Amino acid sequence: FNEVKPASISIVTDNASLTAGGGNIFTFNGQVLDKDGIGINNITIPITVTGEVALEVVDQVVSATIDENQGAFRFNASAFNLAGRWTISVKADTITNTITFEQLSDKPSAILVNDGVQPESIFVKGTGNKENTSVTFKVLDRFGNSISDNLGIKVVVSIASGPGGGEQVDPTVPTETVNGIVSANIRAGNRSGTVRVHAEIENNPTI
């Protein structure tokens, strides 16, 4: 009796990129083949996941005949409303294969300033003290995910009000997010007082 050993394992998904919301489910299909390209049933296939956030998926599956394909396997995974990117690895004996997929954020819903922390104080220009500070603007979707960068969302930052001493903010042009964040540098003028900075999504002043 010669034991048939796996020579290859495949894995594909119905959609390698989804958007948060709507109860999305990723479905994965694969097949374990021997050296002659024949499917092998009853192979236990461990499933491991690496990624940025939690993903609900089974620990293992067993190959079987599915839709008349011998040695096939199928399983689902869900991150619910979390945005992230993951890599799943499947293994048959010593043979492994991986697949990478992602769930993008939903559309912008809010901007979080400085992660909710009060920006540090700066001093009037020319005093020899700290005259500038960096403020972050994190764009969030309705589920609290940082907006996905490949959505091309841009943030416009401006001085809303101040003491009128020449306060400045940089950048002054719409800037795309990096990891959902746009940073701005606030520079003091020559008058003391409170400076209010305004940030909004380009072409969407309601956010």
Side-chain angles (χ1 to χ4, degrees), residues 121-186:
S121 297
I122 55 177
F123 296 84
V124 172
K125 186 165 65 174
T127 61
N129 296 304
K130 185 176 177 62
E131 298 177 359
N132 66 287
T133 187
S134 180
V135 179
T136 60
F137 301 91
K138 182 185 291 185
V139 184
L140 306 175
D141 70 7
R142 60 189 170 125
F143 304 111
N145 296 306
S146 296
I147 208 73
S148 298
D149 293 338
N150 54 0
L151 296 181
I153 301 301
K154 293 183 179 181
V155 177
V156 182
V157 183
S158 60
I159 299 290
S161 63
E167 305 80 23
Q168 295 180 313
V169 61
D170 182 63
T172 57
V173 297
T175 305
E176 285 195 16
T177 61
V178 176
N179 296 323
I181 295 172
V182 166
S183 295
N185 189 46
I186 313 302

Side-chain angles (χ1 to χ4, degrees), residues 18-159:
L18 295 174
T19 301
N24 293 325
I25 300 291
F26 291 92
T27 298
F28 299 88
N29 289 279
Q31 191 174 22
V32 180
L33 302 176
D34 67 13
K35 61 182 179 61
D36 297 317
I38 299 174
I40 311 172
N41 287 347
N42 299 316
I43 299 295
T44 299
I45 303 162
I47 299 168
T48 56
V49 180
T50 56
E52 303 160 351
V53 295
L55 182 75
E56 185 174 282
V57 64
V58 295
D59 294 329
Q60 64 180 36
V61 290
V62 178
S63 63
T65 300
I66 301 176
D67 299 332
E68 299 184 358
N69 294 313
Q70 188 171 307
F73 60 90
R74 179 180 296 152
F75 60 92
N76 296 327
S78 175
F80 300 97
N81 293 323
L82 297 177
R85 185 177 178 87
W86 304 268
T87 296
I88 277 184
S89 176
V90 290
K91 185 176 182 179
D93 195 17
T94 61
I95 309 298
T96 62
N97 202 351
T98 61
I99 187 169
T100 299
F101 57 102
E102 64 183 349
Q103 182 156 276
L104 302 176
S105 67
D106 198 7
K107 61 185 179 181
S109 178
I111 298 177
L112 178 64
V113 180
N114 238 35
D115 277 332
V117 178
Q118 181 73 20
E120 63 180 338
S121 297
I122 55 177
F123 296 84
V124 172
K125 186 165 65 174
T127 61
N129 296 304
K130 185 176 177 62
E131 298 177 359
N132 66 287
T133 187
S134 180
V135 179
T136 60
F137 301 91
K138 182 185 291 185
V139 184
L140 306 175
D141 70 7
R142 60 189 170 125
F143 304 111
N145 296 306
S146 296
I147 208 73
S148 298
D149 293 338
N150 54 0
L151 296 181
I153 301 301
K154 293 183 179 181
V155 177
V156 182
V157 183
S158 60
I159 299 290

Side-chain angles (χ1 to χ4, degrees), residues 7-18:
S8 68
I9 182 171
S10 63
I11 182 169
V12 296
T13 182
D14 58 338
N15 196 330
S17 182
L18 295 174

